Amino acid sequence: MPIYEYRCHACDKRFEAFLTSSSEQAVCPQCHGTKLQKLMSTFAASVAGGYKATQATVSSQSEPPKSGGCGGGCSCH
């Protein structure tokens, strides 16, 4: 069950909503508006010893993969 981040078009409030199903509609906690923009946000991934928050980024240049570990250039080592 993911947590989504939204911005309300009516009052410009940014908030998070924990939705239990894909058919559930988020509602602004400030003005109760339903015209919302879903925002890109950070996410947490399970790693040894706990969770690590990661920010999704888009890059026009690709970096070469790092050696060792998963080999995907994820900076996990």
Side-chain angles (χ1 to χ4, degrees), residues 14-44:
R14 289 177 175 241
F15 64 96
E16 295 178 343
F18 178 74
L19 303 178
T20 57
S21 73
S22 61
S23 62
E24 189 174 359
Q25 173 68 43
V27 177
C28 176
Q30 185 165 303
C31 72
H32 307 289
T34 57
K35 287 189 174 184
L36 309 172
Q37 174 186 10
K38 193 181 286 190
L39 304 173
M40 293 291 288
S41 62
T42 60
F43 60 91

Side-chain angles (χ1 to χ4, degrees), residues 63-77:
E63 296 179 22
K66 295 181 180 180
S67 61
C70 67
C74 70
S75 302
C76 67
H77 301 284

